[in-house]
Amino acid sequence: MTTGVASRVSGQLGSGNPYPVKPAATLLMTIPVALVFFAFQRHFVRGGTAGATKG
């Protein structure tokens, strides 16, 4: 997806002002990653503190 956004913004696929396309595409690419992070946030934190030593 990032390659497609890069080629779209650089003007290879069209002409004109691609500015509105870049933030929209970035938001659409970020949403799935954010959903996975929030769904498994408890596991990430637990895994990060599992190997920590006290004191």
Side-chain angles (χ1 to χ4, degrees):
M1 285 174 47
T2 55
T3 306
V5 171
S7 65
R8 180 96 167 126
V9 172
S10 68
Q12 292 178 3
L13 298 178
S15 61
N17 185 8
Y19 178 73
V21 175
K22 189 175 183 181
T26 304
L27 179 65
L28 289 176
M29 289 188 304
T30 303
I31 288 173
V33 176
L35 290 176
V36 169
F37 173 76
F38 288 121
F40 294 104
Q41 182 179 8
R42 182 180 333 154
H43 301 288
F44 292 145
V45 172
R46 190 179 303 155
T49 59
T53 57
K54 195 175 186 182

